[in-house]
Amino acid sequence: MKKLIFIGCFFFLQLLILGGFLCFHRPKQNIYPVVSVLDNKGTKLEQKHVEFNEEKGYKIQAYLPYTSYPILNREIVTFIESRIDEFKKEMDDFGPLTNQVYTMLIHYDTYSYKNYVTYVFTIFLDTAGAHPNTYIKSITFDKENQQIVSIDSLVRQYPNLLKQLSTLSLEELKHSEKFKEQGYQDIIGMLEDGTKPIAKNFRNFAFTEKGLLLFFENYQVAPYFYGSFQVTIPYSSLFS
């Protein structure tokens, strides 16, 4: 009888030790389910993804809209998930820091014009470099034809569009308030490269009431300290 009690106590002690080990070594990770934001009628308007991994030293906070168009929703979710996965993989390669947390923040702005809606996402990344980086991604949707609109699809419809955007945006940028004090001559090479008539230079855009709004990321047309740029081209100058 004593032998059975001894064996039982032994196994119970082993379970306690194992449980303590697992508790102590579990990943310090808090992943909150995607939170839905509703209007007063219970309609889902947007979602928020929040994740904090203390062990790997990163945090993520991403906002994304929820629309009534499944094709658009899939495009948005695919983009957001791919950027989050890319960030996590990169942080795994970097390894945690002692006194800093790697950070990813994603938010968006909405633009509408006629049957078009555009969501422009700003992706802020702090990966302990010389300075944080900010990236832009626009997703435009044609509600009438139920399809994503890209710069490539616009160029197929209007073959001269890239040349028009290149010429007009370069002239607009030269008159930017950001160059008012020092001028742009020292960075004319960056301005010209960032506005060359190629699709990647004009992939971020939005249809607005005033015209086609173009977004230029940090480093695209000027050094980092100038920040990003926006240029609006009237529709009367395009799509001819």
Side-chain angles (χ1 to χ4, degrees):
M1 182 67 180
K2 290 183 179 181
K3 185 177 181 180
L4 289 175
I5 294 175
F6 174 79
I7 293 174
C9 291
F10 174 78
F11 280 111
F12 180 72
L13 181 60
Q14 292 293 99
L15 288 173
L16 287 176
I17 294 173
L18 178 61
F21 176 84
L22 292 174
C23 289
F24 181 77
H25 290 276
R26 72 180 186 275
K28 296 178 179 179
Q29 183 176 18
N30 294 316
I31 302 178
Y32 302 95
V34 173
V35 178
S36 297
V37 178
L38 309 178
D39 65 10
N40 56 7
K41 295 181 180 179
T43 303
K44 185 157 60 172
L45 301 177
E46 74 172 16
Q47 298 176 328
K48 182 172 78 169
H49 174 104
V50 180
E51 182 174 342
F52 175 60
N53 191 314
E54 184 178 352
E55 183 180 57
K56 295 185 178 180
Y58 69 74
K59 65 179 180 181
I60 299 168
Q61 184 168 300
Y63 293 87
L64 57 155
Y66 185 86
T67 76
S68 56
Y69 307 102
I71 295 174
L72 177 56
N73 289 337
R74 285 196 297 270
E75 186 78 10
I76 292 171
V77 170
T78 298
F79 163 69
I80 296 293
E81 288 182 347
S82 67
R83 291 309 302 260
I84 289 177
D85 289 344
E86 182 182 321
F87 174 75
K88 287 181 179 180
K89 185 179 184 303
E90 190 175 6
M91 296 310 98
D92 285 342
D93 295 337
F94 284 179
L97 297 174
T98 303
N99 299 313
Q100 186 174 346
V101 175
Y102 302 119
T103 303
M104 168 184 256
L105 303 174
I106 302 177
H107 63 85
Y108 66 92
D109 294 302
T110 307
Y111 300 85
S112 296
Y113 176 69
K114 293 186 176 179
N115 58 301
Y116 298 102
V117 60
T118 302
Y119 293 101
V120 179
F121 296 88
T122 300
I123 303 99
F124 171 88
L125 296 177
D126 186 353
T127 56
H131 53 71
N133 288 309
T134 303
Y135 302 93
I136 297 171
K137 167 68 174 180
S138 71
I139 298 177
T140 297
F141 187 70
D142 182 342
K143 294 182 287 186
E144 181 178 345
N145 295 303
Q146 293 288 296
Q147 61 186 16
I148 302 296
V149 179
S150 67
I151 188 63
D152 292 323
S153 64
L154 289 177
V155 170
R156 285 193 294 270
Q157 189 173 0
Y158 304 98
N160 293 324
L161 181 60
L162 287 177
K163 291 181 180 179
Q164 293 173 322
L165 292 176
S166 174
T167 301
L168 295 170
S169 63
L170 178 58
E171 288 306 309
E172 286 292 324
L173 287 167
K174 286 179 180 178
H175 295 89
S176 171
E177 286 293 320
K178 295 183 180 183
F179 302 135
K180 190 173 182 180
E181 293 184 7
Q182 299 181 350
Y184 61 83
Q185 294 303 326
D186 291 342
I187 60 166
I188 187 64
M190 289 190 72
L191 278 171
E192 291 176 343
D193 285 343
T195 56
K196 281 182 179 179
I198 55 178
K200 73 173 185 177
N201 281 340
F202 302 100
R203 65 186 182 274
N204 292 314
F205 63 88
F207 290 103
T208 72
E209 293 291 338
K210 295 182 178 180
L212 190 68
L213 178 58
L214 304 174
F215 299 87
F216 298 93
E217 295 179 320
N218 293 350
Y219 290 118
Q220 183 175 344
V221 295
Y224 177 82
F225 62 83
Y226 282 103
S228 59
F229 289 77
Q230 297 181 14
V231 170
T232 300
I233 308 296
Y235 295 122
S236 58
S237 301
L238 302 171
F239 307 120
S240 59

